[in-house]
Amino acid sequence: MRSRLTSVALVVMLLAPGLLEAQEPRDSVCRAVAVALNQRHPGGVLEPDGDCSDLAAQVTGLVGGARFLKAARSSATDTAFRLTPRKVQSSRGGEANAAGAPGQAEAVPTAQPTALASANLSAAGTDRGTKTLATITLNPITLFGGAGDTITAARWSRFGDLSILVPVSNSSTGSDKLGYFGVRLRLNLSGLHAGDGLLRNVRTAFLQTTNLRAALLRDLQDAFQTLPDDAIAGCAEAVLTAANGESPEACGGLVTLGFSEKVYGDFRRALTLAREKADAKYLGLDLRFDTGDPTLSGDSTLEVNALQAGLAFGRRSTGTSPSATSFGLQGRVGVRYSQLKSDSDSVTWSLDAALGFEASRLVSESQAVRLTSALEARYANKSDPVAEQHQTDVLLLRGGLQVPVVGGTSITVAWSAPLTGEASPTLSVNFNWALLLSQVPGGAP
Amino acid sequence: MSASYRGRIAPRQPVTVTLSADISNTGPALLMAGAAGFTTPAVGDAVEVVPGGTKSIKFKNPANGTMVINIDFADEEDSGKLEVTVGDTLRDEDGVQGDTDWSYLIK
């Protein structure tokens, strides 16, 4: 192959002298090699006064372009390179949100929404028996459009979701009515900005490959000025066929191909890390509505209509490796209005707050092991009977361990114990399911 | 799917790279464009272009080096129109189909 390029270059020099007029002898050699290369790789542009710099750029373009196209082509099947909705899905998005119920899985429920849809079935042991609660969470914005548009998905999948909580077994006493019904709305106010950050990391990875091309171009320009005339074609050919990381002998050790599989591996990691950074902090609204007995005790005197509004916030450390253990703080503060169903005059306003600690480690691109613990308080300064009816004036210690199973499924073991006030200790096992965004670029959910 | 060297462009000039994606494309395309000098790090950006949409990337060329444009289409049959403006001059305007790599010498 090397001799073929040299031969063609010689023929060009002999048969097309008009192309090589008014140039330095070395530039004429480079020009002849460029013409020969363009015959083998049609579609390129030959400058009328092309010189050795143009040949270096032409070779660099062919080498770098081939690597980009190979990566892009292989991504059609393994999506290692292509930006897909799955790649920008939050790996820290919340599970189905069972906050404020015996099946609460996280010590301090996050305001980070689920990406598409999730469900949770929890079995909670309390001092009044085992309670089973089902929670379904939907991200309506993602469901109603944009899941196939990667950037729209990245932005809106982080914005908000809606959860519905219902007991699986009837929890009211002696009645066939639904003993409890709850709604949760999470709005992540930092979501839109977080989504924008993803593309900045994609840009960084792309610019890394551009820097490598500039380095190769510089090496080639130096080589074509240094090597003997009869070695230029051989050097160009050797670079075209060299493997990543090689320094072809034909170029006298002046040229090294800095390209590597690592570059594109870094690209994939940049995407993963981008998600991690985007999810590292959040500030959102935590809105809750309950009707019935949120403790699922079966005691009709504890049934309330309650509305709670608050802010949820969190901050987590991020390292240079997406798989490193990270630590974070999560908090929540809000106001709760509750009215007894059995006595509409019994109304209580209470302050609701929680502060927690999280240690987590990403074990796949979509799942993390999480250990959480928190102190949770609700305060209204009421007498004991009233406080018990409204589930206020309590200080709880909560904890939870979430372990991913496969895909978007995980199991959480959570517990709570009252430090002060009247509240039942709980121990719950939660089975979490979450739908993942499409693995196919532009694909449907 | 193609890779091609597109010739020289002037240094230290504002560059605008615009991709207009065909409305019939199967999904969004990822457009990346940037330039790197021999002594200066690369500048540029990455944007996503939905079917039927148009997006541009703007940056300023360094004193020397190479400029690269990559398009990763959702499908090899997807297509669009790529425009490159250097300074006030339309340098390139061409239809592209499938994954595309254009490169330039900055000199």
Side-chain angles (χ1 to χ4, degrees):
Chain A
M1 187 67 81
R2 175 179 167 181
S3 59
R4 181 184 162 197
L5 184 57
T6 307
S7 303
V8 173
L10 287 172
V11 169
V12 169
M13 292 177 71
L14 292 172
L15 300 182
L19 286 171
L20 312 175
E21 286 177 354
Q23 290 189 312
E24 295 296 321
R26 177 168 295 267
D27 287 335
S28 296
V29 174
C30 289
R31 171 75 173 163
V33 175
V35 171
L37 264 182
N38 209 44
Q39 288 175 349
R40 284 172 45 196
H41 303 278
V45 172
L46 287 176
E47 295 288 353
D49 58 344
D51 55 23
C52 288
S53 295
D54 290 278
L55 174 62
Q58 185 182 9
V59 173
T60 300
L62 289 170
V63 170
R67 278 151 178 80
F68 164 73
L69 295 176
K70 180 184 176 186
R73 187 170 59 243
S74 65
S75 73
T77 52
D78 65 13
T79 65
F81 181 78
R82 183 164 293 166
L83 190 63
T84 69
R86 177 78 62 84
K87 281 185 166 58
V88 295
Q89 177 172 349
S90 169
S91 58
R92 303 287 180 173
E95 306 291 347
N97 186 9
Q104 179 174 320
E106 296 177 74
V108 182
T110 175
Q112 289 170 295
T114 191
L116 194 60
S118 58
N120 173 298
L121 184 64
S122 64
T126 73
D127 58 6
R128 298 198 183 191
T130 302
K131 314 298 178 188
T132 309
L133 189 75
T135 307
I136 295 174
T137 297
L138 297 174
N139 189 322
I141 295 168
T142 308
L143 280 180
F144 290 121
D149 176 348
T150 308
I151 301 310
T152 303
R155 290 177 174 176
W156 293 106
S157 70
R158 289 175 160 77
F159 184 62
D161 66 13
L162 186 70
S163 299
I164 294 172
L165 290 70
V166 291
V168 174
S169 57
N170 187 2
S171 63
S172 65
T173 54
S175 164
D176 55 2
K177 68 175 182 177
L178 193 64
Y180 168 72
F181 177 75
V183 177
R184 305 286 182 263
L185 178 65
R186 295 189 284 203
L187 296 177
N188 182 11
L189 302 179
S190 60
L192 288 178
H193 178 70
D196 289 341
L198 298 175
L199 269 184
R200 285 197 290 273
N201 287 278
V202 175
R203 178 191 63 188
T204 300
F206 162 71
L207 295 181
Q208 187 183 3
T209 66
T210 306
N211 280 327
L212 291 176
R213 287 196 185 199
L216 177 61
L217 174 62
R218 184 190 55 211
D219 282 1
L220 280 170
Q221 285 189 356
D222 290 346
F224 292 157
Q225 291 299 330
T226 306
L227 292 170
D229 286 356
D230 59 0
I232 290 176
C235 173
E237 186 63 41
V239 169
L240 285 174
T241 55
N244 291 334
E246 280 188 2
S247 184
E249 199 174 317
C251 298
L254 298 170
V255 178
T256 301
L257 271 77
F259 298 92
S260 66
E261 298 301 324
K262 179 179 178 301
V263 171
Y264 293 101
D266 287 347
F267 195 3
R268 181 205 293 257
R269 280 187 289 278
L271 289 169
T272 305
L273 198 57
R275 278 186 300 173
E276 283 291 286
K277 286 184 175 174
D279 298 333
K281 59 182 178 182
Y282 65 86
L283 172 66
L285 291 177
D286 177 16
L287 305 173
R288 307 178 185 183
F289 170 73
D290 294 300
T291 181
D293 175 14
T295 68
L296 308 181
S297 67
D299 184 348
S300 60
T301 64
L302 298 181
E303 293 188 355
V304 296
N305 289 319
L307 196 60
Q308 178 172 326
L311 285 175
F313 51 90
R315 181 71 198 235
R316 189 163 41 77
S317 66
T318 56
T320 54
S321 167
S323 59
T325 301
S326 65
F327 303 95
L329 282 175
Q330 296 175 316
R332 185 187 83 236
V333 61
V335 175
R336 182 176 186 259
Y337 165 89
S338 59
Q339 179 187 49
L340 285 184
K341 279 188 162 184
S342 57
D343 180 6
S344 59
D345 291 334
S346 179
V347 171
T348 295
W349 289 88
S350 52
L351 180 67
D352 186 279
L355 185 64
F357 168 82
E358 176 196 85
S360 64
R361 183 174 185 184
L362 208 61
V363 292
S364 74
E365 288 190 359
S366 312
Q367 287 274 36
V369 175
R370 287 187 212 176
L371 180 66
T372 58
S373 65
L375 281 174
E376 179 179 308
R378 187 176 293 162
Y379 177 73
N381 194 25
K382 297 291 184 183
S383 61
D384 285 351
V386 176
E388 185 177 5
Q389 284 180 310
H390 289 270
Q391 298 101 48
T392 186
D393 293 335
V394 293
L395 178 63
L396 296 173
L397 182 62
R398 287 189 179 275
L401 175 64
Q402 178 181 319
V403 179
V405 179
V406 63
T409 61
S410 63
I411 294 178
T412 305
V413 177
W415 58 271
S416 71
L419 299 178
T420 63
E422 291 294 324
S424 169
T426 63
L427 177 64
S428 66
V429 178
N430 300 265
F431 301 92
N432 312 303
W433 292 267
L435 286 178
L436 300 174
L437 287 171
S438 176
Q439 189 73 282
V440 181
Chain B
M1 175 183 290
S2 65
S4 58
Y5 170 60
R6 307 291 295 187
R8 294 181 200 166
I9 56 172
R12 298 190 183 92
Q13 292 289 312
V15 175
T16 303
V17 178
T18 303
L19 175 65
S20 301
D22 288 353
I23 190 73
S24 59
N25 284 356
T26 57
L30 194 59
L31 169 67
M32 297 161 274
F38 295 146
T39 57
T40 56
V43 294
D45 209 346
V47 296
E48 192 168 61
V49 190
V50 298
T54 298
K55 285 276 184 70
S56 293
I57 294 174
K58 296 183 178 184
F59 54 89
K60 188 175 180 182
N61 264 343
N64 50 34
T66 184
M67 185 176 95
V68 179
I69 301 170
N70 284 167
I71 304 173
D72 184 18
F73 279 109
D75 188 273
E76 275 307 296
E77 299 300 315
D78 286 359
S79 56
K81 187 176 79 171
L82 186 59
E83 291 180 0
V84 180
T85 300
V86 180
D88 296 326
T89 307
L90 181 62
R91 170 65 171 77
D92 267 330
E93 181 184 25
D94 213 345
V96 289
Q97 182 175 22
D99 298 331
T100 300
D101 180 288
W102 282 8
S103 59
Y104 296 82
L105 170 67
I106 301 169
K107 184 178 179 183

